[in-house]
Amino acid sequence: MTHWMISFPSGEMRFEEHEFDDVVRDSHQVVRDMKAAGVYLTAGGVDESVPPVRVSADGVETPGTYPQTARLEGGYTIIDVPTREEAVVWAARLAAACRCDQELRAFGDDPDA
C-alpha cells in the first residue's frame, strides 16, 4: 500500500457563510467513511498561529522556514490505499466536501522507516 497526502492551502475553500455547518458535516463524513474503509491514517491542519522554526542537529532553533516551504499551510489528510486511482477517488470526495480542489501526493516507500 502507498501513503498518500491529500491537502489544500488555507483560504481556498469557497462557500457562503451560511454553508459552514454543511462543509463541516460533509468533510467529517468523508473522514468517517475513510476510517470505516480502513484507509485513514491521520488528518489535521497546520496551526498557523504557531511560527515555524528550523531545528539543527544540535537542537538549535532558527526562526522561519526553508524558502520553498514558507507557505506550508492548510489542511492535510494522510491515507493508505493500494492505487493512485483509489487515492484520486478519496481526494475528489474531499474536494466536494471542502469546496476546493485537493492536491494529491504520494509518499515514497521506505521499508526501514
Side-chain angles (χ1 to χ4, degrees):
M1 297 263 249
T2 301
H3 293 175
W4 296 86
M5 178 175 66
I6 303 169
S7 64
F8 63 95
S10 299
E12 289 301 312
M13 295 172 76
R14 302 283 186 243
F15 58 88
E16 300 295 323
E17 190 173 323
H18 70 276
E19 297 176 290
F20 180 78
D21 290 340
D22 293 338
V23 171
V24 170
R25 181 198 66 229
D26 295 350
S27 61
H28 287 175
Q29 184 59 55
V30 175
V31 169
R32 283 191 294 275
D33 293 346
M34 288 175 170
K35 289 178 178 180
V39 302
Y40 176 89
L41 296 177
T42 191
V46 173
D47 185 343
E48 295 173 40
S49 71
V50 178
V53 298
R54 291 186 323 273
V55 179
S56 68
D58 60 4
V60 173
E61 296 181 30
T62 304
T65 67
Y66 289 107
Q68 66 271 33
T69 61
R71 292 194 38 97
L72 184 63
E73 58 184 33
Y76 297 85
T77 302
I78 310 298
I79 61 174
D80 188 12
V81 295
T83 66
R84 181 182 184 281
E85 291 75 19
E86 190 172 344
V88 167
V89 169
W90 287 111
R93 290 194 56 196
L94 280 174
C98 293
R99 288 27 174 210
C100 66
D101 290 349
Q102 301 290 301
E103 184 175 293
L104 181 64
R105 293 181 181 249
F107 284 97
D109 183 30
D110 180 352
D112 293 329

